[in-house]
Amino acid sequence: MDVPGQVRQDWRMAEQSQQTPSAVAGPLLHLGCQSCGARLVLEPALRTTRCPYCAAPAVVERPPVPGVPEPVFALGFALTHMAAKAHVARWLRSRSRFTRSGIRSAAPGEVRGVYVPAYLYSVLAQARYRASIGENYQETETYTTTENGKRVTRTRTVTRTEWRSLEGERVSYVADVLVTASKGLDNAELEALEPFDLRGLARYTPALISGWVAEEPSLTLAQCQELARKEAVERVGGLLSRFMPGDSHRGLEHQSRLDWEALDVCLLPVWVLAVKYAEDAPPLRVLVNGQTGAVHGEAPISSWKVLSALVALLAVLALGWLLTGGGR
């Protein structure tokens, strides 16, 4: 019985949205990107032929995929389209000097809101650990040194560390681990956008995403579970590191048994700008957290611009050297 997951779901029901959105009219349209593999779901009125993740035009209608889990929770957008455009514009300006000239075609107005699928994971972790614990103590040390040409004896206080072995077990409940369920947005990108304020989670209904592009989980449950378990074990390591007694510790090792796992599909609000600026390069993609406005992206660097800047700098240095008489 998944007790922790049920407890989490119960208290989140009290956080449901106070809005009463209109029902979604008509059947949803299912599209598949043949470039990045994203599975998009949207209303027929929002029919699109360009993928919001990679800007590829190879988006075709597809039948619904059987067995794809339905979302349990959804987080609403708190950041408006206007605010998202402003965040993207600032990000583009801050990186325009040494980036490839093709990104000038990136119009911040093309940023699109997407509900990205993720798994919300919680688990009870029973960790067996061992480490060396350091306890500091002070000693007075006598030493010899030279002062004014003479050998003298002095004393000083030094800190030393006594190391002891420690083994034990610790039980931790690891909650609210988010891992991507999307082929369009990888887990490293999702982590760069975190944290999301999960207190705003509402029970999913189709009306909650009415008017927005959403994506179905395109990664398998096994793939997402592996990502979630790895992140949960890393969190356990952090908890153990902070739990260690003494003044310091080293050689911390631990093995965790994971019980009472709970995975729920939730939809996260992300603003996405994807621009295909060159045929020989992946698309420029700028992501904005739809709650906090945190921005993440990787600007393509132009080697020619960097080289030109270095040549200009060397020329200025050489001219300065000549003007100061260095050439005499």
Side-chain angles (χ1 to χ4, degrees), residues 22-241:
S22 59
V24 178
L28 295 176
L29 184 67
H30 295 258
L31 302 175
C33 178
Q34 295 179 316
S35 178
C36 70
R39 298 173 182 169
L40 307 176
V41 181
L42 58 158
E43 296 176 60
L46 298 175
R47 189 183 191 103
T48 180
T49 57
R50 187 165 61 86
C51 178
Y53 288 119
C54 66
V59 179
V60 298
E61 190 167 355
R62 62 167 178 79
V65 179
V68 175
E70 285 289 320
V72 179
F73 301 108
L75 272 176
F77 278 85
L79 198 70
T80 65
H81 186 235
M82 187 70 68
K85 287 197 299 182
H87 281 74
V88 171
R90 283 195 296 269
W91 187 90
L92 290 172
R93 286 196 301 269
S94 68
R95 288 158 175 79
S96 61
R97 172 170 290 186
F98 295 112
T99 54
R100 293 182 61 166
S101 57
I103 73 166
R104 293 176 183 173
S105 62
E110 295 179 0
V111 64
R112 305 181 68 190
V114 181
Y115 274 105
V116 179
Y119 273 99
L120 185 61
Y121 176 80
S122 62
V123 69
L124 186 70
Q126 303 184 55
R128 178 77 184 175
Y129 64 87
R130 64 181 179 184
S132 295
I133 305 302
E135 298 281 355
N136 295 340
Y137 64 95
Q138 280 73 43
E139 280 187 345
T140 301
E141 179 182 76
T142 301
Y143 67 99
T144 302
T145 187
T146 302
E147 294 181 1
N148 300 323
K150 297 181 180 180
R151 300 289 291 175
V152 295
T153 300
R154 295 284 184 265
T155 60
R156 61 188 173 194
T157 300
V158 295
T159 300
R160 304 193 187 279
T161 303
E162 181 180 359
W163 295 96
R164 298 189 180 122
S165 296
L166 178 68
E167 295 186 10
E169 293 184 0
R170 181 174 171 82
V171 178
S172 306
Y173 184 59
V174 182
D176 296 338
V177 175
L178 280 173
V179 295
T180 186
S182 167
K183 288 183 178 179
L185 189 145
D186 64 39
N187 205 52
E189 291 175 309
L190 180 62
E191 288 181 349
L193 291 178
E194 292 187 59
F196 289 86
D197 186 358
L198 299 179
R199 293 174 298 178
L201 280 175
R203 285 281 179 179
Y204 169 79
T205 65
L208 282 174
I209 62 170
S210 178
W212 298 89
V213 177
E215 184 193 357
E216 291 178 338
S218 47
L219 295 177
T220 66
L221 175 62
Q223 290 173 307
C224 299
Q225 192 170 41
E226 182 180 354
L227 289 172
R229 286 172 174 170
K230 181 180 178 181
E231 188 169 333
V233 170
E234 290 175 354
R235 287 200 191 182
V236 169
L239 292 172
L240 288 173
S241 181

Side-chain angles (χ1 to χ4, degrees), residues 236-245 249 252:
V236 169
L239 292 172
L240 288 173
S241 181
R242 293 188 291 273
F243 169 73
M244 290 294 104
H249 68 273
L252 175 61

